[in-house]
Amino acid sequence: MLAFVSSCGLTGIDGFGVDVEVNLAHGMPVFDIVGLPDASVKESRERVRAALKNSGFPFPAERLTVNLAPADVKKEGPAFDLPIALGMLCAMGVVDQAALDGACVFGELSLNGAVRPVRGALPMVISAMERGVKRFLLPAENLNEIRCIEGVQAHPVESLCAAARHLTGELPIPAAPSTDYQSLIRRRRFAEDFCHVKGQSKAKRALEIAAAGGHNVLMIGPPGSGKTLMARCMPTILPDMTFEEALEATRIHSVAGAIPESGLLTERPFRSPHHTASYASLIGGGQNAMPGEVSLASQGCLYLDELPEYRRDVLEALRQPMEDGFVTITRVNARCTYPSRFMLICSMNPCPCGNLGSRAKQCRCTPAEIRRYLNRISGPLLDRIDMHIEVESIPAEKLSETELSEDSAAIRARVEAARAVQRERYAPIGIRCNAELDARTLAGACRMTPGAQALLLASTERLKLSNRAYTRILKVARTICDLDGAAEIGDEQIAEAVQYRTLDRKYWG
């Protein structure tokens, strides 16, 4: 007897339909899985065999063939366990084919018949819905990922027995209700807050501008000056993710198997890889071309502490994702494209000992050591960082003050107001913030007064800035205008934006 079950596979963060065809025929008892399965799919034979027997179902002593169509696309992962098992029950007459028609099934089976969660549930559900599927049988632990998608009839199953009883009508599993995305946002809690950052008014002003426009930031200062604390406070002042942005971020984390307990991501990601991170862990890779930190930080922040300590090839690999907003990973067995729309935040010491320019301690590094240390960061990478901020040490009397500074909620209100202006301005062209302006849209969005244009040209010539630095100063000035409520870029905005590009001349000039 022949049975058909619809399921899904994964390619990057995109799902594709897989038809699980199960055929029982007379002959020697053999269990074959065809259709370009990988090792984990081939191992489904033993998991399904044990799960059926331990759930009280007979295992057929006939020739059993499972085909995963399309046969020319590689199938990976244990998500086909549940559809194969249900297809076998249908072929044996335990479950009617009509009960499986129109439903998409995926899930991993334990040997005792329990259904375990799988990676990539959200992208698989989205791809199936695009094909017109609305009814799903999926692991109960994957339910939180998809609970905000409207129109989904999701039946969470905890065991093979429960799935069979649902399909036979003996014990139907009700479809889980959907959840409003806005209600999830209101439950967010942050551990850090800018009110705990003592002093550093200039640095906090620069970080507010960076958050308002989505600009990349480099902080330079001695150890203990608060660089790491301010970087970790950045998510608290970034605007809330839209539902579409939350779906994109969750799809990437779902594929990587890094979904939080809440399911859908409601907070912008903040990724802080150690400086010993490899090329593959930062950019992505491995045998199956898994997403790296630049993709897991998409829609959020990627924080690189002690920037010169990272390997040179790892840092240079950041240049293309920063410019394009996506990264393509090519391996022998896979080729995947992942979004990488992240905000880069970097911090570093001005020298190996960290005390260059400090008022409290004397630098003990030689000029050659300082030059070698700073040269670990290339000019092209520095050019792609919009804002360079000098962070000074805080005097002891400042640290002993009990009065709190402006909190993150007040800063975030100004950031959200500036982002609202940008969303309205760029709605016709599909741009989210000023940092995403390109050559085609820059001139129309960044109109300057004659005085501002003359000041920018003079600063570019005097500081010997590149064309890329020129455009990034213009974008930062546009963000300052949005925070100030100005329609046209003036002298003050250009002057403030230029000062965020002078540190590379101080340290690298």
Side-chain angles (χ1 to χ4, degrees):
M1 185 175 179
L2 184 62
F4 299 90
V5 183
S6 295
S7 187
C8 272
L10 276 177
T11 301
I13 60 170
D14 298 316
F16 62 92
V18 175
D19 293 326
V20 180
E21 304 171 350
V22 181
N23 184 63
L24 278 177
H26 295 296
M28 292 292 293
V30 178
F31 189 175
D32 287 328
I33 299 179
V34 297
L36 212 58
D38 71 347
S40 61
V41 179
K42 291 178 181 178
E43 291 171 354
S44 293
R45 292 177 297 187
E46 303 307 320
R47 290 193 296 270
V48 170
R49 188 194 307 270
L52 283 171
K53 291 182 178 180
N54 291 325
S55 299
F57 298 107
F59 190 83
E62 298 178 271
R63 184 175 185 84
L64 177 63
T65 305
V66 176
N67 180 41
L68 305 177
D72 60 342
V73 180
K74 191 175 182 63
K75 319 300 186 307
E76 300 172 350
F80 302 106
D81 291 1
L82 184 58
I84 290 174
L86 292 179
M88 291 175 61
L89 292 178
C90 182
M92 290 187 293
V94 178
V95 175
D96 290 335
Q97 180 67 59
L100 287 167
D101 291 342
C104 181
V105 184
F106 55 86
E108 177 185 347
L109 287 177
S110 295
L111 299 184
N112 63 355
V115 178
R116 298 170 56 86
V118 297
R119 293 187 298 107
L122 179 61
M124 286 194 287
V125 168
I126 292 176
S127 68
M129 292 192 69
E130 291 173 351
R131 300 193 306 272
V133 179
K134 294 185 178 180
R135 189 161 61 94
F136 296 86
L137 269 71
L138 74 166
E141 294 183 44
N142 285 126
L143 183 62
N144 284 341
E145 291 182 43
I146 66 167
R147 59 181 173 171
C148 288
I149 303 178
E150 296 182 357
V152 173
Q153 299 176 24
H155 303 275
V157 294
E158 297 183 351
S159 67
L160 178 58
C161 284
R165 289 172 182 170
H166 168 73
L167 293 172
T168 58
E170 179 183 347
L171 189 61
I173 301 173
S178 61
T179 304
D180 181 53
Y181 175 65
Q182 294 301 322
S183 66
L184 295 179
I185 291 180
R186 288 192 289 270
R187 301 175 196 170
R188 297 184 308 159
R189 296 290 185 272
F190 294 105
E192 292 84 8
D193 196 290
F194 266 107
C195 68
H196 302 301
V197 179
K198 305 293 184 180
Q200 304 296 4
S201 57
K202 294 181 180 178
K204 286 192 282 188
R205 163 66 176 173
L207 292 176
E208 178 181 339
I209 296 170
H215 304 292
N216 302 321
V217 178
L218 170 63
M219 293 183 284
I220 308 175
S225 55
K227 302 186 296 295
T228 301
L229 176 59
M230 288 189 288
R232 294 192 177 278
C233 288
M234 281 299 290
T236 67
I237 65 173
L238 291 173
D240 294 333
M241 283 195 292
T242 63
F243 180 57
E244 291 73 19
E245 290 173 338
L247 279 182
E248 179 182 292
T250 306
R251 288 170 70 182
I252 301 170
H253 283 72
S254 179
V255 170
I259 287 290
E261 292 183 3
S262 59
L264 194 72
L265 267 71
T266 57
E267 298 179 11
R268 292 189 180 272
F270 182 87
R271 307 292 297 187
S272 180
H274 194 258
H275 64 261
T276 57
S278 65
Y279 179 99
S281 65
L282 194 67
I283 305 302
Q287 183 178 359
N288 298 325
M290 297 297 289
E293 294 291 341
V294 296
S295 299
L296 294 171
S298 192
Q299 307 299 341
C301 300
L302 176 64
Y303 176 47
L304 302 183
D305 195 10
E306 304 298 341
L307 186 65
E309 302 298 334
Y310 287 82
R311 282 170 30 192
R312 180 70 176 251
D313 63 320
V314 171
L315 292 180
E316 294 306 304
L318 290 172
R319 288 156 56 176
Q320 182 264 331
M322 289 170 64
E323 287 288 327
D324 299 338
F326 64 88
V327 59
T328 300
I329 304 166
T330 304
R331 295 294 183 268
V332 174
N333 297 326
R335 184 180 186 275
C336 302
T337 298
Y338 296 107
S340 61
R341 287 185 282 266
F342 59 89
M343 179 179 168
L344 180 64
I345 306 174
C346 309
S347 62
M348 60 175 289
N349 298 325
C351 66
C353 76
N355 297 320
L356 180 64
S358 174
R359 301 169 184 167
K361 296 182 180 180
Q362 185 175 1
C363 177
R364 60 177 184 270
C365 305
T366 65
E369 290 174 337
I370 296 173
R371 179 57 53 193
R372 281 197 300 270
Y373 179 77
L374 295 176
N375 281 344
R376 296 177 187 174
I377 306 172
S378 68
L381 179 61
L382 276 174
D383 220 23
R384 286 169 168 81
I385 300 177
D386 304 22
M387 305 175 68
H388 308 153
I389 309 169
E390 191 165 28
V391 182
E392 299 180 350
S393 297
I394 302 298
E397 57 269 18
K398 279 275 188 183
L399 296 176
S400 61
E401 292 180 355
T402 57
E403 184 179 354
L404 298 177
S405 59
E406 187 178 33
D407 62 7
S408 294
I411 302 174
R412 186 171 64 248
R414 296 194 294 270
V415 169
E416 288 180 341
R419 285 288 186 105
V421 172
Q422 295 169 43
R423 282 195 299 269
E424 182 179 356
R425 181 194 304 134
Y426 304 133
I429 55 178
I431 290 178
R432 303 175 305 159
C433 56
N434 291 325
E436 297 181 359
L437 288 169
D438 54 20
R440 178 177 54 87
T441 56
L442 189 66
C446 300
R447 296 189 303 273
M448 293 182 285
T449 63
Q453 188 169 10
L455 177 60
L456 179 56
L457 289 174
S459 302
T460 302
E461 293 179 2
R462 182 177 179 181
L463 298 173
K464 296 181 174 59
L465 300 176
S466 66
N467 294 341
R468 182 182 287 112
Y470 175 95
T471 59
R472 292 184 182 268
I473 289 174
L474 204 53
K475 295 176 187 179
V476 173
R478 177 68 264 175
T479 301
I480 298 172
C481 284
D482 294 336
L483 285 169
D484 296 342
E488 197 173 34
I489 300 175
D491 297 17
E492 294 182 2
Q493 289 83 15
I494 289 292
E496 184 175 2
V498 168
Q499 76 173 356
Y500 298 127
R501 297 293 307 196
T502 57
L503 288 185
D504 57 345
R505 299 292 167 249
K506 177 178 178 180
Y507 292 102
W508 286 273

